[in-house]
Amino acid sequence: MKLQRKNRLRATALGALAVSSALVLTACGSDNNSGGGSTGGSGEKTSAASNIKCDDAKGQLLASGSSAQKNAMDLWVKDYMAGCKGVEINYKSSSSGEGIIAFNQGTVGFAGSDSALKPEEVADSKKICKTGQGINLPMVGGPIAIGFHLEGVDSLTLDAPTLAKIFDGKIKKWNDPAIAKLNSGAKLPDKAIQAFHRSEDSGTTQNLGKYLAATAPNDWKYEPEKKWPAPGGQAASGSAGVAAQVKQVDGSIGYFELSYASSQSISTVDINTGGSTPVKASSENASKAIAAAKIKGTGKDLALDLDYTTKAEGAYPIVLVTYEVVCDTGNKPETLSTVKSFLNYTASDEGQKVLTDAGYAPIPTEINAKVRETIASLS
């Protein structure tokens, strides 16, 4: 517990430094701290309490998708609605796949996804984005923690081949020689491994698959898809469901965002990347990996290319970036102002700073500057 708390404090400090030089798009607030919004010198309506630019946001905005960003979204929605009275943001935490389906059916203003849109999903989006198409805006970064529950074992190190064999059902006992070799001196029990995975299409699943396919190709033969590919194991709904099972079941292992491990005090695996020391799952260490990401999208699309094979010291390799999926043009007039206002807040210095406190990592400054420019151009 002390170590986890220390890591969170270090991550918070680094996150504050990481975003301090970013462009500031939030408006300067009024000295009037009374409730409701105030009007700044430019005539734009802002929140007096938090400097959130509410602009012409109004009514209800529906969104859905990734459960990976649920804890971040909960914080954002709470802060935004406190600053912009009369606006209701309703984000349904389900899965990346369900979010994209809802977006391409036109039932939500934006979707959250842990994986960038596929070409066929972009094609489908053109039916909803009448004059444009769906684009990916990276908004949340962070580590995919490998959580475990093994009575008598508080610290555990694994590498990519061993993880691949565990999740593929090839390693079945906790005292398997491959695990013992990576954990010299640990008292590993002769206990069956119970591996949990997501039951529904999930970008978290896909990102874990990308990591395993890139770093252990001889042991993980599956294509990185949102649907869990390996036989066996046990399924649970959402990151929250997988975390709940790992928390409850002795001998279990599963994957979910670090925020779920931190909030429930679930032990997490250190990853042996081939560097000098195993790397812990932390916002700080995930930031080191995400900082090397490159934009692979074209036009206004800001999809990222992550390096899952990094061996950089202190870089945690099992990371994801959650995107907010919107239309570049052709957004619904009745929700456009609210979409832009809300996403302006989530991409702001203030919005990004709350991520480290929730176990996430801010989007790198240079990339986030492009996100803000794109949000401003949405129409």
Side-chain angles (χ1 to χ4, degrees):
M1 289 296 292
K2 290 182 178 179
L3 181 59
Q4 288 179 346
R5 183 170 182 265
K6 181 178 179 183
N7 283 339
R8 288 198 297 270
L9 290 173
R10 289 179 61 204
T12 300
L14 185 76
L17 288 172
V19 298
S20 63
S21 61
L23 298 174
V24 179
L25 292 191
T26 49
C28 296
S30 166
D31 290 333
N32 175 14
N33 289 322
S34 60
S38 64
T39 302
S42 64
E44 293 177 315
K45 183 181 176 184
T46 67
S47 161
S50 60
N51 299 330
I52 296 173
K53 292 174 61 177
C54 305
D55 295 328
D56 296 322
K58 60 184 178 181
Q60 184 183 62
L61 174 63
L62 300 179
S64 70
S66 166
S67 66
Q69 67 174 10
K70 178 186 183 300
N71 294 331
M73 192 61 68
D74 286 348
L75 291 172
W76 283 334
V77 168
K78 178 182 177 181
D79 291 347
Y80 182 84
M81 288 174 57
C84 298
K85 304 298 184 182
V87 182
E88 180 182 352
I89 309 295
N90 188 338
Y91 181 82
K92 178 184 177 183
S93 172
S94 51
S95 68
S96 299
E98 292 179 40
I100 291 173
I101 289 173
F103 178 77
N104 282 341
Q105 290 176 342
T107 59
V108 295
F110 70 89
S113 177
D114 310 337
S115 296
L117 293 168
K118 295 179 180 179
E120 59 268 27
E121 292 170 337
V122 173
D124 286 343
S125 73
K126 294 179 180 180
K127 302 171 186 176
I128 298 300
C129 309
K130 299 295 186 183
T131 59
Q133 65 181 43
I135 57 172
N136 305 282
L137 301 179
M139 199 66 70
V140 180
I144 300 175
I146 307 298
F148 72 97
H149 178 177
L150 193 58
E151 295 296 336
V153 178
D154 297 323
S155 177
L156 188 68
T157 295
L158 297 174
D159 59 13
T162 307
L163 268 177
K165 292 172 185 175
I166 288 173
F167 281 115
D168 198 22
K170 300 295 192 299
I171 291 179
K172 301 180 183 297
K173 291 290 189 72
W174 279 109
N175 62 348
D176 187 277
I179 300 177
K181 184 178 180 180
L182 293 165
N183 295 274
S184 178
K187 295 182 179 180
L188 299 169
D190 182 16
K191 184 184 292 290
I193 296 173
Q194 298 192 56
F196 287 91
H197 58 264
R198 293 282 290 274
S199 59
E200 72 288 346
D201 286 4
S202 161
T204 310
T205 294
Q206 187 172 41
N207 279 279
L208 175 63
K210 288 178 179 178
Y211 164 74
L212 294 175
T215 55
N218 293 328
D219 300 296
W220 192 257
K221 302 292 187 179
Y222 307 102
E223 289 295 321
E225 297 291 346
K226 292 177 182 177
K227 185 176 181 62
W228 182 254
Q234 301 179 61
S237 178
S239 290
V242 175
Q245 291 296 323
V246 172
K247 175 73 172 178
Q248 179 180 351
V249 178
D250 184 22
S252 61
I253 190 170
Y255 59 94
F256 34 79
E257 293 65 44
L258 180 62
S259 60
Y260 291 92
S262 301
S263 64
Q264 299 186 51
S265 300
I266 297 172
S267 298
T268 59
V269 171
D270 298 342
I271 301 299
N272 183 338
T273 63
S276 61
T277 57
V279 185
K280 296 186 177 300
S282 72
S283 297
E284 175 185 352
N285 293 341
S287 293
K288 293 177 183 178
I290 295 173
K294 305 295 183 183
I295 295 175
K296 65 179 180 180
T298 58
K300 294 182 179 180
D301 184 76
L302 300 178
L304 301 180
D305 186 14
L306 299 171
D307 180 11
Y308 298 97
T309 64
T310 180
K311 291 181 174 59
E313 289 301 316
Y316 184 81
I318 317 177
V319 295
L320 61 75
V321 169
T322 291
Y323 301 95
E324 312 310 336
V325 177
V326 295
C327 298
D328 54 0
T329 64
N331 287 279
K332 293 181 179 180
E334 61 268 27
T335 57
L336 175 60
S337 294
T338 307
V339 168
K340 293 178 70 172
S341 173
F342 180 67
L343 295 184
N344 268 327
Y345 166 62
T346 64
S348 70
D349 283 353
E350 183 178 340
Q352 289 288 296
K353 281 179 181 178
V354 307
L355 294 179
T356 51
D357 295 327
Y360 297 99
I363 296 300
T365 300
E366 291 184 5
I367 296 172
N368 197 38
K370 296 181 183 296
V371 171
R372 295 170 175 180
E373 291 173 4
T374 303
I375 293 169
S377 72
L378 299 179
S379 63

